[in-house]
Amino acid sequence: MNTDVEFHIRQNYPWNKLPANVKQSLGNSQREYEKHVLLYSIRNQLRFRNNLVRHVRKDERKYYEELLKYSRDHLMLYPYHLSDIMVKGLRVTPFSYYIGIMEDIMNSEKSYDSLPNFTAADCLRLLGIGRNQYIDLMNQCRSSKKFFRRKSARDLLPAKPVEISVEPWWVVQTGYITEDDIRMCSPAEKKAIDKMIDSGPQLAGSVEYNVVLSLYNRGFIYLDVPISDDSCISVPPLEGFVMNRVQGDYFETLLYKIFVSIDEQTNVAELANVLEIDLDLVKNAVSMYCRLGFAVKKGQVFSSDQLHPTWKNAPSVNRLKSTMDPQKMLLSWEQGSPVMEGGSSATDTDTTSLEDQGDTASVSSLSIPAAPTKRIAFLFDSTLTAFLMMGNLSPNLKSHAVTMFEVGKLSDETLDSFLAELEKVETTAEGEAQRYFDHALTLKNTILFLRYNKELTQDQGPDIPNIGFPLDMLRCESLLGLDQATCSRVLNKNYKLLVSMAPLSNEIRPISSCTPQHIGPAIPEVSSIWFKMYLYHVTGQGPPSLLLSKGSRLRKLPDIFQVYDRLLITSWGHDPGVVPTSNVLTMLNDALTHSAVLIQGHGMHGHGETVHIPFPFDKDDLKGEFSSSNMCTHKALQKLKEQVDLEHQCGYVTMLNSNNRHRRRGSDNTECRGDTHLGGGLDTNGSTESFELVAEENNGDVKVKTDTLSSEDEWVPLELCFGMPLFSSELNRKVCRKIASHKLCSNESLQELLHSSRKLSLKVLSFVQSFQDGAHPSDLDSGVSNPLSQTQAESGVPLPAINLLFKEGQLKEWSGRAPPPLDISALQKDQPT
């Protein structure tokens, strides 16, 4: 549906008030507009009254029946915001609705994965049917077909809801109750129903707990989860979340947007304002989180005389409370995490018990002064969550990893329990699992370094207590679910500084942010193949590299790569992989049909050797002559320092030695030696999705060589990554030390970073744009044809319009023949920088 049409339907514009261009897009047909109004209203589960649909569909009951059928057919969440209509009018309770959905997918013999995530979670909450139970039911259903008496799916499904968690601040309302229903009730139940009929809706906590459950299970009442404008909620680590699939309907999209945007200090009205989303929609979403137990409402205070005595032993929605280790609670208290008021705990690290939850202690009463309003955000991608989910690193780490992936955020309030789980991770593992363990341990050190680190905030001023900044962890992909303006508002409201993990996967678009300042890729192009080419162009050094545009086709491997035993191949939007030269041509041509590809020489005798050099460089690093233990003095890095600000950013430069006749050198502890890798060390995320090869074993033959064997000319820069590396604990430790010693988080340094990031962005964008002026026609006699060359952007970064070759210090256009027709490097160098 056209976005303009949607906007005018949402604003309740009748046909006669529509602008001419919108009418034209509908073929000037009022009937077509009315169809769109009905479809939009049903898809978005809009109430009949006070919305445009009431002028289109006169029969209110029929409209709600259509809405319910659409929601059920599309496996959407039950429309709890319409409970008064659904339960009282249509007699469809959440239980009967989900039973219908389960019956439909069982009769269609669909897999459990066909249920969208939130729908599956609500089914689990009400029906008690998760993945294993569904598989068991399907087996029973199939086996019954083999016998004479066949059981239908409905016969196998439960007859009443499982016992659900109800919070005392929820509101109970009467549903559709007949006189026959009243006769079946106990005296206590009748009394409760009479009170609701006479006095209106009641707080659940004022009614006997067992009566609430009994009436709910029989469908005589329904539960509202009231959210006010000033309500604040917290999101503890997810329990009971089902990771199936994302459907993309309006409410699911809204739930994910709010998940990554919400924090404990922002109330619902402020959040709606920041996101520029209708307040009622935000309330519906927050209400759903609380109902499913994925969020906890703050500030609910119930005195003992307000609560019915039977509620004292009632289970809480926050299911993690019962599994908490008291030691973790002490950790949270001493670290100064806010203690939440009332009957709901803020996180699984709360320190209050049911007996003393009336105490409204605040952060200021703890050992640490009031925390700053703004925080540091550590940006990560889904690769990290995958590593934490795999490998059975620790018993309860998975719930945090699921939260990081699905919510897209771990707030500072939950980091104590997350760190406690990371503490349990062992330091050694076998084979592939070692990579997962290394990332978990390095992540723990990174969090401990960034969070409440007084070293990073020494220039806060005399009136502000220096306790460092709290830390939130944000998943890049979840932030990208917000539009750019909304994302910017959310980040500026809550954060002083963004810090990215390094490297971020090539499969995602990094967050672009001038304010708050970003220690990481300034723009997506800086995290793409283009930045490698820019790096080689400004330094005049790098491995032989050929960037082929999408649709090109190689008839033979170019001569410059014939001397190499291993090539580093990066297809556009994927992470690189090292492959043998012998069978690479077919693979390359296959990849070129759907992607631009970068080919680089890697190793002449097996895999090339790589070293990661952390920056910013210390003064001592830049003294002396070049050697394998003092690579910071490499002439390419000296040139790089002049073109790229390495003083107010952090990260690492990867140097490559292709002519590695000798295997790994002996280790030493100097800063500029960096981490040495052979083969797969390039693929720092451990992902070789497009081109996969297992690194060769060294067979234990480690030869220690002197520095004289490593000449400066053998080493060339391969790539530069901004951010904090997680793949190597030693490299991470060095970068952390440099952040503190160079005071990168000081206001002065961040101001310099702002200016240098803008300058670098303009330079790189200008560099990229110089290759977007149009493709040159391919030569039929050459070794390459290019019928499908495109300049369109994939994931926001422009594709190359021409084939580019970097060789012997020069970047040139490549047509498949030697010499290339145009020396682009000479033209670029003439331009002012």
Side-chain angles (χ1 to χ4, degrees), residues 30 108 141 143 151 193 239 247 301 334 351 413 444 457 504 517 558 608 679 723 726 784 792:
Q30 182 174 350
S108 304
C141 196
S143 63
K151 284 187 178 180
I193 291 172
E239 289 289 319
Q247 169 146 299
V301 181
E334 291 167 2
T351 61
E413 290 78 11
K444 180 191 72 176
T457 55
L504 289 167
Q517 282 92 326
L726 296 184
V784 60
Q792 291 299 314

Short mmCIF file of all heavy atoms in Angstrom, two decimals, residues 30 108 141 143 151 193 239 247 301 334 351 413 444 457 504 517 558 608 679 723 726 784 792:
data_model
loop_
_atom_site.label_atom_id
_atom_site.label_comp_id
_atom_site.label_asym_id
_atom_site.label_seq_id
_atom_site.Cartn_x
_atom_site.Cartn_y
_atom_site.Cartn_z
N GLN A 30 -13.12 6.37 -5.55
CA GLN A 30 -13.45 6.38 -4.13
C GLN A 30 -13.58 4.96 -3.59
O GLN A 30 -13.21 4.67 -2.46
CB GLN A 30 -14.75 7.16 -3.90
CG GLN A 30 -15.12 7.27 -2.42
CD GLN A 30 -16.32 8.17 -2.18
OE1 GLN A 30 -16.77 8.86 -3.10
NE2 GLN A 30 -16.85 8.18 -0.97
N SER A 108 -3.04 -28.23 9.05
CA SER A 108 -2.26 -27.97 7.83
C SER A 108 -0.90 -28.66 7.89
O SER A 108 -0.12 -28.58 6.93
CB SER A 108 -2.04 -26.47 7.64
OG SER A 108 -3.26 -25.78 7.62
N CYS A 141 -1.23 -36.91 16.70
CA CYS A 141 -2.25 -36.67 15.68
C CYS A 141 -2.03 -37.57 14.47
O CYS A 141 -2.98 -38.15 13.92
CB CYS A 141 -2.19 -35.20 15.26
SG CYS A 141 -3.63 -34.62 14.37
N SER A 143 -0.28 -40.45 14.42
CA SER A 143 -0.41 -41.87 14.76
C SER A 143 -1.87 -42.29 14.86
O SER A 143 -2.23 -43.42 14.57
CB SER A 143 0.33 -42.18 16.06
OG SER A 143 -0.25 -41.46 17.13
N LYS A 151 -8.32 -39.20 16.08
CA LYS A 151 -8.46 -38.05 16.97
C LYS A 151 -8.18 -36.77 16.17
O LYS A 151 -7.21 -36.71 15.42
CB LYS A 151 -7.47 -38.14 18.12
CG LYS A 151 -7.86 -39.13 19.19
CD LYS A 151 -6.89 -39.03 20.36
CE LYS A 151 -7.31 -39.98 21.47
NZ LYS A 151 -6.36 -39.90 22.62
N ILE A 193 -17.67 -11.22 41.03
CA ILE A 193 -18.36 -10.79 39.81
C ILE A 193 -19.33 -9.66 40.12
O ILE A 193 -19.41 -8.66 39.38
CB ILE A 193 -19.09 -11.99 39.17
CG1 ILE A 193 -18.06 -12.99 38.60
CG2 ILE A 193 -20.01 -11.52 38.05
CD1 ILE A 193 -18.66 -14.29 38.12
N GLU A 239 13.08 -14.62 29.37
CA GLU A 239 12.79 -16.01 29.69
C GLU A 239 11.46 -16.33 29.02
O GLU A 239 10.53 -15.54 29.05
CB GLU A 239 12.68 -16.20 31.21
CG GLU A 239 14.00 -16.10 31.94
CD GLU A 239 14.90 -17.32 31.68
OE1 GLU A 239 14.38 -18.45 31.65
OE2 GLU A 239 16.11 -17.13 31.49
N GLN A 247 7.47 -12.05 11.41
CA GLN A 247 6.40 -11.98 10.40
C GLN A 247 6.37 -10.64 9.68
O GLN A 247 6.14 -10.57 8.49
CB GLN A 247 5.04 -12.23 11.07
CG GLN A 247 3.84 -11.92 10.19
CD GLN A 247 2.69 -12.84 10.45
OE1 GLN A 247 2.80 -14.04 10.27
NE2 GLN A 247 1.58 -12.29 10.89
N VAL A 301 3.66 0.46 44.00
CA VAL A 301 3.74 0.27 45.45
C VAL A 301 2.38 -0.17 45.97
O VAL A 301 1.38 0.53 45.78
CB VAL A 301 4.17 1.57 46.16
CG1 VAL A 301 4.28 1.35 47.66
CG2 VAL A 301 5.50 2.06 45.60
N GLU A 334 26.16 -3.26 45.40
CA GLU A 334 27.42 -2.55 45.59
C GLU A 334 27.81 -1.73 44.37
O GLU A 334 28.49 -0.72 44.48
CB GLU A 334 28.53 -3.54 45.94
CG GLU A 334 28.34 -4.15 47.31
CD GLU A 334 29.23 -5.35 47.54
OE1 GLU A 334 30.01 -5.69 46.65
OE2 GLU A 334 29.13 -5.93 48.62
N THR A 351 17.85 -6.24 44.38
CA THR A 351 18.33 -6.58 45.72
C THR A 351 17.19 -6.59 46.73
O THR A 351 17.40 -6.94 47.88
CB THR A 351 19.37 -5.54 46.17
OG1 THR A 351 18.73 -4.27 46.21
CG2 THR A 351 20.53 -5.49 45.22
N GLU A 413 21.52 -1.94 33.78
CA GLU A 413 20.93 -2.56 34.97
C GLU A 413 21.03 -4.08 34.94
O GLU A 413 20.98 -4.72 36.00
CB GLU A 413 19.46 -2.14 35.10
CG GLU A 413 19.24 -0.69 35.48
CD GLU A 413 19.42 0.28 34.31
OE1 GLU A 413 19.52 -0.17 33.15
OE2 GLU A 413 19.46 1.50 34.55
N LYS A 444 33.77 -9.72 28.18
CA LYS A 444 33.71 -9.43 29.62
C LYS A 444 34.72 -8.34 29.99
O LYS A 444 34.38 -7.37 30.68
CB LYS A 444 34.01 -10.70 30.42
CG LYS A 444 33.98 -10.50 31.94
CD LYS A 444 34.54 -11.69 32.67
CE LYS A 444 36.05 -11.78 32.52
NZ LYS A 444 36.66 -12.86 33.28
N THR A 457 36.64 9.39 32.34
CA THR A 457 35.82 10.60 32.52
C THR A 457 36.47 11.53 33.54
O THR A 457 35.81 11.97 34.49
CB THR A 457 34.41 10.21 32.98
OG1 THR A 457 34.52 9.39 34.17
CG2 THR A 457 33.67 9.44 31.92
N LEU A 504 33.03 -5.06 12.55
CA LEU A 504 31.61 -5.35 12.37
C LEU A 504 31.47 -6.16 11.08
O LEU A 504 32.23 -5.99 10.14
CB LEU A 504 30.81 -4.05 12.25
CG LEU A 504 30.66 -3.24 13.54
CD1 LEU A 504 30.13 -1.85 13.23
CD2 LEU A 504 29.73 -3.95 14.52
N GLN A 517 29.33 11.15 19.41
CA GLN A 517 30.52 10.73 18.69
C GLN A 517 30.65 9.21 18.70
O GLN A 517 30.20 8.55 19.63
CB GLN A 517 31.77 11.38 19.29
CG GLN A 517 31.95 12.83 18.88
CD GLN A 517 31.31 13.80 19.85
OE1 GLN A 517 30.28 13.50 20.42
NE2 GLN A 517 31.91 14.96 20.04
N PRO A 558 43.85 -13.24 -13.64
CA PRO A 558 44.86 -12.25 -14.05
C PRO A 558 46.27 -12.65 -13.64
O PRO A 558 46.48 -13.31 -12.61
CB PRO A 558 44.40 -10.98 -13.31
CG PRO A 558 42.93 -11.16 -13.12
CD PRO A 558 42.72 -12.63 -12.91
N GLY A 608 49.26 -16.36 3.82
CA GLY A 608 50.05 -15.21 4.20
C GLY A 608 50.03 -15.03 5.71
O GLY A 608 49.18 -15.57 6.42
N GLY A 679 47.00 -17.54 7.76
CA GLY A 679 45.79 -18.01 7.10
C GLY A 679 44.56 -17.32 7.61
O GLY A 679 44.33 -16.16 7.37
N GLY A 723 37.34 0.68 16.12
CA GLY A 723 36.52 0.07 17.16
C GLY A 723 37.34 -0.78 18.11
O GLY A 723 38.58 -0.73 18.10
N LEU A 726 37.24 -7.82 19.49
CA LEU A 726 36.83 -8.86 20.46
C LEU A 726 37.43 -10.22 20.14
O LEU A 726 37.29 -11.14 20.93
CB LEU A 726 35.30 -8.97 20.49
CG LEU A 726 34.51 -7.75 20.96
CD1 LEU A 726 33.02 -8.08 21.01
CD2 LEU A 726 34.99 -7.27 22.32
N VAL A 784 37.89 -9.87 -19.91
CA VAL A 784 36.75 -9.67 -19.02
C VAL A 784 35.61 -9.04 -19.80
O VAL A 784 35.81 -8.19 -20.65
CB VAL A 784 37.15 -8.78 -17.82
CG1 VAL A 784 37.61 -7.43 -18.27
CG2 VAL A 784 36.00 -8.63 -16.83
N GLN A 792 24.01 0.77 -8.53
CA GLN A 792 23.05 0.84 -7.43
C GLN A 792 23.69 0.37 -6.13
O GLN A 792 24.58 -0.46 -6.11
CB GLN A 792 21.82 -0.03 -7.74
CG GLN A 792 20.96 0.50 -8.88
CD GLN A 792 20.40 1.87 -8.56
OE1 GLN A 792 19.89 2.10 -7.47
NE2 GLN A 792 20.52 2.79 -9.50
#
